[in-house]
Amino acid sequence: LKNYLFSEMPNLEILSLSNNLIELTEEKCFHGLNSLFELDMSFNKLRTITMHLFIELSSLNILQLKSNLIELIEKEGFYGLD
């Protein structure tokens, strides 16, 4: 997922990216999703949760990452999530 991919969707509340064969995410791919409540990234091919990946998602309450290939969670990978 490229940086700023969703930057023009500030009111989006639910985003399902499951079953999309996603392997890589850039650090600012979720920039601008200030209202996002639920993010589903299940059943992809993610191997790494990069530093600050979810930092912009201050409203996020539900995060689904099941059935990925996660091998590495970088320092502060979940920074910004409560």
Side-chain angles (χ1 to χ4, degrees):
L1 298 175
K2 299 287 185 187
N3 282 336
Y4 308 105
L5 180 62
F6 304 102
S7 64
E8 296 186 24
M9 300 179 186
N11 298 317
L12 190 67
E13 294 181 357
I14 299 173
L15 179 59
S16 178
L17 298 171
S18 63
N19 292 298
N20 279 293
L21 303 175
I22 298 168
E23 295 181 32
L24 300 171
T25 55
E26 293 183 2
E27 183 178 328
K28 298 207 180 272
C29 64
F30 298 119
H31 176 79
L33 292 176
N34 303 334
S35 300
L36 196 68
F37 180 84
E38 180 176 349
L39 175 60
D40 186 353
M41 297 186 70
S42 302
F43 300 99
N44 281 294
K45 295 185 175 188
L46 292 173
R47 292 188 179 276
T48 302
I49 302 298
T50 56
M51 183 180 356
H52 298 161
L53 180 60
F54 304 110
I55 197 167
E56 309 245 359
L57 304 180
S58 58
S59 297
L60 195 68
N61 282 336
I62 301 169
L63 174 61
Q64 298 284 342
L65 293 170
K66 65 183 171 190
S67 295
N68 276 284
L69 305 171
I70 297 171
E71 299 172 335
L72 175 64
I73 299 173
E74 291 183 359
K75 183 179 178 181
E76 300 182 351
F78 293 103
Y79 187 81
L81 299 180
D82 291 331

